[in-house]
Amino acid sequence: EEAQATRQALNKQSLAEWLAAHPLTWTDGKQYGVTMEDQTEMALNYTQYQAAVTAGKLATLEWHAVKEACTEFTPEDFLALSLAVSTYVYPYCRHQESIKKQIYAAQSVEAVKAIPIDYSTVIQEDEDVEDVG
């Protein structure tokens, strides 16, 4: 069980490192972060924007490309980017789950250690999504 937990922690760390090193190039030609932190911040940003609009407040929706300052987005463009990020990350998350399943199905420490953790083998099915890194 300890070997499985350790290997799964490495699996999670490997995915986080992969996502941090491989931003999404979006339709505007800019690169956008796709880490879990980026996704959480985007969701929070949009939720706060919606709350402000619902409350009748003047609200601006902003986001930033990698190593750039925030710029204003229309709600439609922000949602399109958010969905592009989600689509981009989805196959990597499924791959992580597949590795996790193998880890917890392994019957020995040697078998656990032999499970490959490699996110470079993940294939992006969406032609509109480009992996740059």
Side-chain angles (χ1 to χ4, degrees):
E1 288 182 12
E2 184 178 328
Q4 290 170 322
T6 300
R7 192 72 173 164
Q8 176 55 15
L10 176 62
N11 184 27
K12 285 181 174 182
Q13 177 184 347
S14 295
L15 174 59
E17 290 172 0
W18 177 266
L19 293 177
H22 296 85
L24 165 75
T25 299
W26 198 45
T27 58
D28 62 4
K30 296 181 181 183
Q31 292 186 336
Y32 293 89
V34 296
T35 65
M36 293 304 146
E37 181 181 2
D38 292 319
Q39 294 176 67
T40 300
E41 287 178 16
M42 285 187 86
L44 180 59
N45 192 11
Y46 190 71
T47 300
Q48 291 172 336
Y49 169 80
Q50 287 181 310
V53 169
T54 301
K57 306 272 185 192
L58 186 60
T60 305
L61 192 54
E62 297 180 325
W63 194 243
H64 58 88
V66 174
K67 298 181 182 177
E68 292 188 21
C70 283
T71 58
E72 190 171 342
F73 275 75
T74 65
E76 296 80 15
D77 284 346
F78 189 89
L79 284 174
L81 174 59
S82 180
L83 290 172
V85 169
S86 178
T87 299
Y88 176 80
V89 170
Y90 183 82
Y92 295 105
C93 291
R94 297 299 75 81
H95 188 66
Q96 180 192 39
E97 291 169 1
S98 172
I99 294 169
K100 179 172 82 172
K101 183 177 178 181
Q102 293 173 55
I103 289 169
Y104 288 109
Q107 299 296 311
S108 69
V109 171
E110 294 78 21
V112 169
K113 290 180 179 179
I115 296 166
I117 299 174
D118 181 4
Y119 287 91
S120 68
T121 62
V122 174
I123 297 170
Q124 285 291 338
E125 296 178 18
D126 187 343
E127 294 176 9
D128 295 334
V129 174
E130 182 180 340
D131 170 12
V132 177

Short mmCIF file of all heavy atoms in Angstrom, two decimals, residues 15-63:
data_model
loop_
_atom_site.label_atom_id
_atom_site.label_comp_id
_atom_site.label_asym_id
_atom_site.label_seq_id
_atom_site.Cartn_x
_atom_site.Cartn_y
_atom_site.Cartn_z
N LEU A 15 1.75 14.59 -13.71
CA LEU A 15 0.72 15.27 -14.49
C LEU A 15 0.81 16.78 -14.27
O LEU A 15 0.78 17.55 -15.23
CB LEU A 15 -0.68 14.78 -14.12
CG LEU A 15 -1.83 15.55 -14.79
CD1 LEU A 15 -1.74 15.48 -16.31
CD2 LEU A 15 -3.17 15.05 -14.29
N ALA A 16 0.96 17.20 -13.03
CA ALA A 16 1.05 18.63 -12.73
C ALA A 16 2.24 19.26 -13.46
O ALA A 16 2.13 20.34 -14.05
CB ALA A 16 1.17 18.85 -11.23
N GLU A 17 3.38 18.58 -13.44
CA GLU A 17 4.57 19.09 -14.12
C GLU A 17 4.36 19.13 -15.63
O GLU A 17 4.79 20.07 -16.31
CB GLU A 17 5.78 18.24 -13.76
CG GLU A 17 6.23 18.43 -12.32
CD GLU A 17 7.31 17.44 -11.88
OE1 GLU A 17 7.73 16.58 -12.69
OE2 GLU A 17 7.72 17.53 -10.71
N TRP A 18 3.72 18.10 -16.18
CA TRP A 18 3.46 18.06 -17.62
C TRP A 18 2.58 19.24 -18.03
O TRP A 18 2.88 19.94 -18.99
CB TRP A 18 2.81 16.73 -18.01
CG TRP A 18 2.46 16.70 -19.47
CD1 TRP A 18 1.27 17.04 -20.04
CD2 TRP A 18 3.34 16.39 -20.55
NE1 TRP A 18 1.33 16.93 -21.41
CE2 TRP A 18 2.59 16.53 -21.76
CE3 TRP A 18 4.66 15.99 -20.63
CZ2 TRP A 18 3.14 16.28 -23.01
CZ3 TRP A 18 5.20 15.74 -21.88
CH2 TRP A 18 4.46 15.89 -23.05
N LEU A 19 1.49 19.44 -17.30
CA LEU A 19 0.57 20.53 -17.64
C LEU A 19 1.26 21.89 -17.51
O LEU A 19 1.04 22.77 -18.34
CB LEU A 19 -0.68 20.46 -16.77
CG LEU A 19 -1.59 19.24 -17.01
CD1 LEU A 19 -2.75 19.27 -16.03
CD2 LEU A 19 -2.07 19.17 -18.45
N ALA A 20 2.08 22.04 -16.50
CA ALA A 20 2.79 23.32 -16.31
C ALA A 20 3.75 23.60 -17.47
O ALA A 20 3.94 24.76 -17.85
CB ALA A 20 3.54 23.31 -14.98
N ALA A 21 4.31 22.56 -18.03
CA ALA A 21 5.30 22.72 -19.10
C ALA A 21 4.69 22.74 -20.50
O ALA A 21 5.40 22.98 -21.48
CB ALA A 21 6.34 21.59 -19.02
N HIS A 22 3.39 22.47 -20.61
CA HIS A 22 2.74 22.35 -21.92
C HIS A 22 1.46 23.18 -21.96
O HIS A 22 0.35 22.64 -21.88
CB HIS A 22 2.45 20.89 -22.24
CG HIS A 22 3.69 20.08 -22.37
ND1 HIS A 22 4.33 19.50 -21.29
CD2 HIS A 22 4.44 19.78 -23.46
CE1 HIS A 22 5.41 18.88 -21.72
NE2 HIS A 22 5.50 19.04 -23.02
N PRO A 23 1.60 24.49 -22.11
CA PRO A 23 0.42 25.35 -22.18
C PRO A 23 -0.35 25.11 -23.48
O PRO A 23 0.15 24.47 -24.41
CB PRO A 23 1.01 26.77 -22.15
CG PRO A 23 2.38 26.61 -22.70
CD PRO A 23 2.85 25.24 -22.27
N LEU A 24 -1.54 25.66 -23.51
CA LEU A 24 -2.41 25.58 -24.68
C LEU A 24 -2.18 26.80 -25.56
O LEU A 24 -2.17 27.93 -25.06
CB LEU A 24 -3.87 25.55 -24.20
CG LEU A 24 -4.94 25.82 -25.25
CD1 LEU A 24 -5.11 24.60 -26.15
CD2 LEU A 24 -6.26 26.17 -24.58
N THR A 25 -2.00 26.59 -26.85
CA THR A 25 -1.99 27.70 -27.79
C THR A 25 -3.40 27.83 -28.32
O THR A 25 -3.93 26.90 -28.95
CB THR A 25 -1.00 27.46 -28.94
OG1 THR A 25 0.31 27.33 -28.39
CG2 THR A 25 -1.01 28.64 -29.92
N TRP A 26 -4.01 28.98 -28.05
CA TRP A 26 -5.40 29.19 -28.40
C TRP A 26 -5.54 29.88 -29.74
O TRP A 26 -4.56 30.21 -30.40
CB TRP A 26 -6.08 29.98 -27.28
CG TRP A 26 -7.57 29.92 -27.30
CD1 TRP A 26 -8.35 28.79 -27.47
CD2 TRP A 26 -8.48 31.00 -27.13
NE1 TRP A 26 -9.67 29.12 -27.41
CE2 TRP A 26 -9.79 30.47 -27.21
CE3 TRP A 26 -8.32 32.36 -26.93
CZ2 TRP A 26 -10.92 31.26 -27.09
CZ3 TRP A 26 -9.45 33.14 -26.80
CH2 TRP A 26 -10.74 32.59 -26.87
N THR A 27 -6.74 30.14 -30.17
CA THR A 27 -7.02 30.70 -31.49
C THR A 27 -6.42 32.09 -31.70
O THR A 27 -6.22 32.50 -32.84
CB THR A 27 -8.54 30.78 -31.74
OG1 THR A 27 -9.13 31.57 -30.70
CG2 THR A 27 -9.17 29.40 -31.75
N ASP A 28 -6.11 32.79 -30.61
CA ASP A 28 -5.49 34.11 -30.74
C ASP A 28 -3.97 34.02 -30.87
O ASP A 28 -3.28 35.03 -30.93
CB ASP A 28 -5.88 35.03 -29.57
CG ASP A 28 -5.41 34.51 -28.22
OD1 ASP A 28 -4.71 33.46 -28.15
OD2 ASP A 28 -5.76 35.15 -27.21
N GLY A 29 -3.44 32.79 -30.91
CA GLY A 29 -2.01 32.58 -31.06
C GLY A 29 -1.23 32.67 -29.76
O GLY A 29 -0.02 32.45 -29.75
N LYS A 30 -1.89 32.99 -28.67
CA LYS A 30 -1.22 33.12 -27.38
C LYS A 30 -1.31 31.81 -26.62
O LYS A 30 -2.20 30.99 -26.85
CB LYS A 30 -1.86 34.23 -26.55
CG LYS A 30 -1.69 35.60 -27.18
CD LYS A 30 -2.32 36.68 -26.32
CE LYS A 30 -2.15 38.04 -26.98
NZ LYS A 30 -2.70 39.11 -26.14
N GLN A 31 -0.36 31.64 -25.69
CA GLN A 31 -0.34 30.44 -24.86
C GLN A 31 -1.00 30.74 -23.52
O GLN A 31 -0.76 31.78 -22.91
CB GLN A 31 1.09 29.97 -24.65
CG GLN A 31 1.73 29.45 -25.93
CD GLN A 31 3.08 28.85 -25.66
OE1 GLN A 31 3.75 29.15 -24.69
NE2 GLN A 31 3.49 27.95 -26.54
N TYR A 32 -1.81 29.77 -23.07
CA TYR A 32 -2.52 29.88 -21.81
C TYR A 32 -2.21 28.68 -20.94
O TYR A 32 -2.17 27.55 -21.41
CB TYR A 32 -4.04 29.98 -22.06
CG TYR A 32 -4.41 31.27 -22.75
CD1 TYR A 32 -4.42 31.37 -24.13
CD2 TYR A 32 -4.70 32.40 -22.01
CE1 TYR A 32 -4.73 32.56 -24.77
CE2 TYR A 32 -5.02 33.61 -22.64
CZ TYR A 32 -5.03 33.67 -24.01
OH TYR A 32 -5.33 34.86 -24.64
N GLY A 33 -2.02 28.97 -19.65
CA GLY A 33 -1.74 27.91 -18.70
C GLY A 33 -2.92 26.98 -18.53
O GLY A 33 -4.08 27.39 -18.64
N VAL A 34 -2.62 25.72 -18.25
CA VAL A 34 -3.66 24.70 -18.14
C VAL A 34 -3.55 23.89 -16.85
O VAL A 34 -4.19 22.84 -16.72
CB VAL A 34 -3.64 23.75 -19.36
CG1 VAL A 34 -3.97 24.50 -20.63
CG2 VAL A 34 -2.29 23.04 -19.48
N THR A 35 -2.76 24.37 -15.90
CA THR A 35 -2.62 23.64 -14.64
C THR A 35 -3.94 23.63 -13.88
O THR A 35 -4.86 24.40 -14.19
CB THR A 35 -1.54 24.27 -13.75
OG1 THR A 35 -1.98 25.58 -13.36
CG2 THR A 35 -0.19 24.33 -14.46
N MET A 36 -4.02 22.80 -12.87
CA MET A 36 -5.23 22.78 -12.04
C MET A 36 -5.44 24.15 -11.39
O MET A 36 -6.57 24.61 -11.26
CB MET A 36 -5.14 21.68 -10.98
CG MET A 36 -5.17 20.28 -11.55
SD MET A 36 -6.61 19.99 -12.59
CE MET A 36 -5.94 18.89 -13.80
N GLU A 37 -4.35 24.80 -11.02
CA GLU A 37 -4.46 26.14 -10.44
C GLU A 37 -5.05 27.12 -11.47
O GLU A 37 -5.93 27.91 -11.13
CB GLU A 37 -3.10 26.63 -9.97
CG GLU A 37 -3.14 28.01 -9.33
CD GLU A 37 -1.78 28.51 -8.87
OE1 GLU A 37 -0.76 27.81 -9.07
OE2 GLU A 37 -1.75 29.62 -8.32
N ASP A 38 -4.57 27.06 -12.69
CA ASP A 38 -5.11 27.92 -13.75
C ASP A 38 -6.61 27.66 -13.93
O ASP A 38 -7.41 28.60 -14.03
CB ASP A 38 -4.40 27.68 -15.09
CG ASP A 38 -2.96 28.13 -15.10
OD1 ASP A 38 -2.67 29.21 -14.55
OD2 ASP A 38 -2.12 27.42 -15.67
N GLN A 39 -6.98 26.39 -13.98
CA GLN A 39 -8.39 26.05 -14.19
C GLN A 39 -9.26 26.52 -13.03
O GLN A 39 -10.36 27.04 -13.24
CB GLN A 39 -8.53 24.54 -14.36
CG GLN A 39 -7.89 24.04 -15.64
CD GLN A 39 -7.96 22.54 -15.73
OE1 GLN A 39 -9.04 21.98 -15.86
NE2 GLN A 39 -6.81 21.89 -15.63
N THR A 40 -8.77 26.37 -11.81
CA THR A 40 -9.50 26.82 -10.63
C THR A 40 -9.66 28.33 -10.64
O THR A 40 -10.75 28.85 -10.37
CB THR A 40 -8.79 26.36 -9.34
OG1 THR A 40 -8.73 24.92 -9.35
CG2 THR A 40 -9.51 26.83 -8.10
N GLU A 41 -8.60 29.04 -10.97
CA GLU A 41 -8.66 30.50 -11.03
C GLU A 41 -9.63 30.97 -12.12
O GLU A 41 -10.37 31.94 -11.92
CB GLU A 41 -7.28 31.09 -11.28
CG GLU A 41 -6.36 31.02 -10.08
CD GLU A 41 -4.98 31.57 -10.36
OE1 GLU A 41 -4.79 32.29 -11.37
OE2 GLU A 41 -4.07 31.28 -9.57
N MET A 42 -9.63 30.29 -13.25
CA MET A 42 -10.57 30.67 -14.32
C MET A 42 -12.01 30.48 -13.86
O MET A 42 -12.86 31.34 -14.09
CB MET A 42 -10.32 29.83 -15.59
CG MET A 42 -9.10 30.23 -16.36
SD MET A 42 -8.99 29.35 -17.94
CE MET A 42 -10.00 30.44 -18.95
N ALA A 43 -12.28 29.35 -13.21
CA ALA A 43 -13.63 29.08 -12.74
C ALA A 43 -14.06 30.11 -11.70
O ALA A 43 -15.18 30.62 -11.74
CB ALA A 43 -13.72 27.67 -12.17
N LEU A 44 -13.17 30.43 -10.78
CA LEU A 44 -13.47 31.43 -9.75
C LEU A 44 -13.70 32.81 -10.38
O LEU A 44 -14.64 33.52 -10.03
CB LEU A 44 -12.35 31.50 -8.72
CG LEU A 44 -12.53 32.50 -7.59
CD1 LEU A 44 -13.79 32.21 -6.80
CD2 LEU A 44 -11.30 32.48 -6.69
N ASN A 45 -12.85 33.16 -11.33
CA ASN A 45 -12.97 34.43 -12.02
C ASN A 45 -14.34 34.56 -12.70
O ASN A 45 -15.02 35.58 -12.59
CB ASN A 45 -11.84 34.57 -13.05
CG ASN A 45 -11.70 35.95 -13.61
OD1 ASN A 45 -12.27 36.91 -13.15
ND2 ASN A 45 -10.89 36.05 -14.65
N TYR A 46 -14.75 33.50 -13.38
CA TYR A 46 -16.02 33.54 -14.08
C TYR A 46 -17.19 33.56 -13.10
O TYR A 46 -18.18 34.29 -13.30
CB TYR A 46 -16.16 32.36 -15.05
CG TYR A 46 -17.37 32.52 -15.94
CD1 TYR A 46 -17.38 33.48 -16.94
CD2 TYR A 46 -18.49 31.73 -15.76
CE1 TYR A 46 -18.49 33.67 -17.75
CE2 TYR A 46 -19.60 31.90 -16.57
CZ TYR A 46 -19.60 32.86 -17.56
OH TYR A 46 -20.70 33.04 -18.36
N THR A 47 -17.10 32.80 -12.01
CA THR A 47 -18.14 32.79 -10.99
C THR A 47 -18.31 34.17 -10.37
O THR A 47 -19.44 34.66 -10.18
CB THR A 47 -17.83 31.75 -9.91
OG1 THR A 47 -17.76 30.45 -10.53
CG2 THR A 47 -18.88 31.73 -8.81
N GLN A 48 -17.19 34.82 -10.07
CA GLN A 48 -17.26 36.17 -9.49
C GLN A 48 -17.83 37.17 -10.50
O GLN A 48 -18.60 38.06 -10.13
CB GLN A 48 -15.87 36.61 -9.02
CG GLN A 48 -15.41 35.83 -7.81
CD GLN A 48 -13.97 36.12 -7.44
OE1 GLN A 48 -13.16 36.54 -8.27
NE2 GLN A 48 -13.63 35.90 -6.17
N TYR A 49 -17.49 37.01 -11.76
CA TYR A 49 -18.04 37.87 -12.80
C TYR A 49 -19.56 37.69 -12.86
O TYR A 49 -20.31 38.67 -12.88
CB TYR A 49 -17.40 37.53 -14.15
CG TYR A 49 -18.10 38.17 -15.32
CD1 TYR A 49 -17.86 39.51 -15.64
CD2 TYR A 49 -19.00 37.44 -16.10
CE1 TYR A 49 -18.51 40.11 -16.71
CE2 TYR A 49 -19.65 38.04 -17.16
CZ TYR A 49 -19.41 39.37 -17.47
OH TYR A 49 -20.06 39.95 -18.53
N GLN A 50 -20.02 36.44 -12.88
CA GLN A 50 -21.46 36.17 -12.93
C GLN A 50 -22.17 36.75 -11.70
O GLN A 50 -23.26 37.30 -11.83
CB GLN A 50 -21.71 34.66 -12.99
CG GLN A 50 -21.40 34.05 -14.34
CD GLN A 50 -21.71 32.56 -14.33
OE1 GLN A 50 -21.30 31.84 -13.44
NE2 GLN A 50 -22.45 32.13 -15.33
N ALA A 51 -21.56 36.62 -10.52
CA ALA A 51 -22.17 37.15 -9.30
C ALA A 51 -22.31 38.66 -9.39
O ALA A 51 -23.35 39.22 -9.00
CB ALA A 51 -21.33 36.75 -8.09
N ALA A 52 -21.29 39.32 -9.90
CA ALA A 52 -21.34 40.78 -10.03
C ALA A 52 -22.43 41.19 -11.01
O ALA A 52 -23.21 42.11 -10.73
CB ALA A 52 -19.98 41.32 -10.48
N VAL A 53 -22.53 40.51 -12.12
CA VAL A 53 -23.55 40.82 -13.12
C VAL A 53 -24.94 40.58 -12.53
O VAL A 53 -25.85 41.41 -12.68
CB VAL A 53 -23.34 39.99 -14.42
CG1 VAL A 53 -24.54 40.09 -15.35
CG2 VAL A 53 -22.07 40.44 -15.13
N THR A 54 -25.11 39.48 -11.83
CA THR A 54 -26.39 39.17 -11.20
C THR A 54 -26.78 40.22 -10.18
O THR A 54 -27.95 40.56 -10.04
CB THR A 54 -26.33 37.77 -10.53
OG1 THR A 54 -26.03 36.80 -11.53
CG2 THR A 54 -27.64 37.42 -9.86
N ALA A 55 -25.78 40.75 -9.48
CA ALA A 55 -26.03 41.79 -8.48
C ALA A 55 -26.22 43.17 -9.10
O ALA A 55 -26.40 44.15 -8.38
CB ALA A 55 -24.88 41.81 -7.47
N GLY A 56 -26.17 43.24 -10.42
CA GLY A 56 -26.35 44.51 -11.10
C GLY A 56 -25.14 45.42 -11.07
O GLY A 56 -25.23 46.62 -11.33
N LYS A 57 -24.00 44.84 -10.77
CA LYS A 57 -22.75 45.61 -10.72
C LYS A 57 -22.08 45.61 -12.09
O LYS A 57 -22.22 44.67 -12.87
CB LYS A 57 -21.78 44.99 -9.71
CG LYS A 57 -22.33 44.80 -8.33
CD LYS A 57 -22.12 46.02 -7.51
CE LYS A 57 -22.59 45.74 -6.09
NZ LYS A 57 -22.68 46.90 -5.30
N LEU A 58 -21.35 46.66 -12.36
CA LEU A 58 -20.54 46.72 -13.57
C LEU A 58 -19.38 45.75 -13.38
O LEU A 58 -18.67 45.81 -12.38
CB LEU A 58 -20.02 48.15 -13.79
CG LEU A 58 -19.27 48.40 -15.09
CD1 LEU A 58 -20.17 48.11 -16.29
CD2 LEU A 58 -18.80 49.84 -15.14
N ALA A 59 -19.20 44.84 -14.30
CA ALA A 59 -18.17 43.81 -14.14
C ALA A 59 -17.36 43.67 -15.42
O ALA A 59 -17.89 43.80 -16.52
CB ALA A 59 -18.81 42.48 -13.78
N THR A 60 -16.10 43.40 -15.24
CA THR A 60 -15.19 43.14 -16.35
C THR A 60 -14.64 41.74 -16.18
O THR A 60 -14.27 41.33 -15.09
CB THR A 60 -14.02 44.15 -16.33
OG1 THR A 60 -14.55 45.47 -16.34
CG2 THR A 60 -13.13 43.97 -17.54
N LEU A 61 -14.59 41.01 -17.27
CA LEU A 61 -14.06 39.66 -17.26
C LEU A 61 -12.67 39.71 -17.88
O LEU A 61 -12.52 40.12 -19.03
CB LEU A 61 -14.98 38.74 -18.05
CG LEU A 61 -14.76 37.25 -17.95
CD1 LEU A 61 -14.76 36.78 -16.49
CD2 LEU A 61 -15.85 36.52 -18.72
N GLU A 62 -11.67 39.33 -17.10
CA GLU A 62 -10.29 39.39 -17.57
C GLU A 62 -9.59 38.06 -17.36
O GLU A 62 -9.93 37.30 -16.47
CB GLU A 62 -9.51 40.47 -16.80
CG GLU A 62 -10.03 41.87 -17.00
CD GLU A 62 -9.22 42.91 -16.23
OE1 GLU A 62 -8.74 42.59 -15.11
OE2 GLU A 62 -9.07 44.01 -16.76
N TRP A 63 -8.59 37.85 -18.21
CA TRP A 63 -7.72 36.68 -18.06
C TRP A 63 -6.39 37.01 -18.72
O TRP A 63 -6.25 38.02 -19.39
CB TRP A 63 -8.34 35.42 -18.66
CG TRP A 63 -7.61 34.19 -18.20
CD1 TRP A 63 -6.93 33.31 -18.97
CD2 TRP A 63 -7.47 33.73 -16.86
NE1 TRP A 63 -6.36 32.32 -18.20
CE2 TRP A 63 -6.68 32.56 -16.88
CE3 TRP A 63 -7.91 34.21 -15.63
CZ2 TRP A 63 -6.33 31.86 -15.74
CZ3 TRP A 63 -7.56 33.50 -14.49
CH2 TRP A 63 -6.79 32.34 -14.55
#
